Amino acid sequence: GQQLNQSPQSMFIQEGEDVSMNCTSSSIFNTWLWYKQDPGEGPVLLIALYKAGELTSNGRLTAQFGITRKDSFLNISASIPSDVGIYFCAGQLSFGNEKLTFGTGTRLTIIP
Amino acid sequence: DGGITQSPKYLFRKEGQNVTLSCEQNLNHDAMYWYRQDPGQGLRLIYYSQIVNDFQKGDIAEGYSVSREKKESFPLTVTSAQKNPTAFYLCASSIDSVSQHFGDGTRLSIL
């Protein structure tokens, strides 16, 4: 099965820094989602994007649906310790397609 | 509170044994999913069900089986045919097949 390419694989930042990560695919997606997973828990939905070019915010998080529909970006501003975790992108290939394709994840670590 | 409950949190299997992982949801969602997560990898779809008494294979269904006799429940059996079963298993449900809500997972290890 296809998996989305996420980069970077891991990030080490200091508290207060901004974070950027992205997700790319060779296929066109109709919907993009971003999830965060804390250790030992299931992923939690952060942001859902439904339209090419769409820019959506959730607090300090901002995500964009790439204009080519083959990529998506997630930015976190002014990082705090609870931002630590693994961030996954996920995409839906076509409307009515009941499956999601997940990225390989970006692990965010905050250096004290 | 509405949500998805997976049990047990940790499970140990002996070689040659079948084990069943439980997933229950009270969100009234029609669709349910099982994923496998290995270190450094994303989530890979094992099986999914859009409606009671119906389910489809995902990308890595070999060695697994499921049932969907009730809307609330979607148990996953890891059979002895699954040669590398050690992983973190995640169950999810969705009302629209897009925004999936996850349980807290079951970690399966082989003794």
Side-chain angles (χ1 to χ4, degrees), chain A residues 35 37 40 42 88 98 100 103, chain B residues 9 33 37 42 48 98 100 103:
Chain A
Y35 286 85
Q37 185 179 29
F88 289 101
E98 58 274 12
L100 291 179
Chain B
K9 183 77 172 172
Y33 308 80
Q37 185 177 26
Y48 62 102
V98 177
Q100 295 184 14

Side-chain angles (χ1 to χ4, degrees), chain A residues 11 17 23 31 45 52 77 83 92 100 105:
Chain A
M11 302 183 74
E17 285 187 31
C23 195
T31 304
L45 181 65
S77 62
D83 290 335
Q92 183 191 36
L100 291 179

Side-chain angles (χ1 to χ4, degrees), chain B residues 51-65:
Chain B
I51 197 169
V52 174
N53 291 323
D54 189 40
F55 49 82
Q56 286 77 41
K57 292 182 179 180
D59 299 320
I60 55 166
E62 185 174 349
Y64 300 97
S65 66

Side-chain angles (χ1 to χ4, degrees), chain B residues 5 12 14 19 23 28 41 49 53 59 76 79 87 98 100 103:
Chain B
T5 302
F12 298 90
K14 291 182 180 179
V19 289
C23 178
N28 200 34
Q41 295 196 35
S49 168
N53 291 323
D59 299 320
L76 173 74
T79 75
V98 177
Q100 295 184 14

Side-chain angles (χ1 to χ4, degrees), chain A residues 1-3 9 31 33 35 37 40-45 48 50 86 88 92 96-100 102-105 107, chain B residues 9 33 35 37 40-45 48 50 56-59 88 90 96-105 107:
Chain A
Q2 178 183 19
Q3 283 201 321
Q9 281 190 323
T31 304
L33 304 102
Y35 286 85
Q37 185 179 29
E41 297 184 12
V44 173
L45 181 65
Y50 299 101
I86 303 176
F88 289 101
Q92 183 191 36
N97 187 324
E98 58 274 12
K99 297 187 289 183
L100 291 179
F102 280 84
T104 48
R107 183 181 295 274
Chain B
K9 183 77 172 172
Y33 308 80
Y35 293 91
Q37 185 177 26
Q41 295 196 35
L43 281 62
R44 291 185 291 168
L45 184 63
Y48 62 102
Q50 295 294 102
Q56 286 77 41
K57 292 182 179 180
D59 299 320
F88 190 50
L90 287 161
D96 60 4
S97 300
V98 177
S99 303
Q100 295 184 14
H101 300 263
F102 286 84
D104 280 341
R107 188 166 299 281

Side-chain angles (χ1 to χ4, degrees), chain B residues 64-79:
Chain B
Y64 300 97
S65 66
V66 294
S67 62
R68 187 85 187 277
E69 297 176 1
K70 298 187 299 182
K71 187 175 187 176
E72 302 78 21
S73 178
F74 191 40
L76 173 74
T77 297
V78 184
T79 75

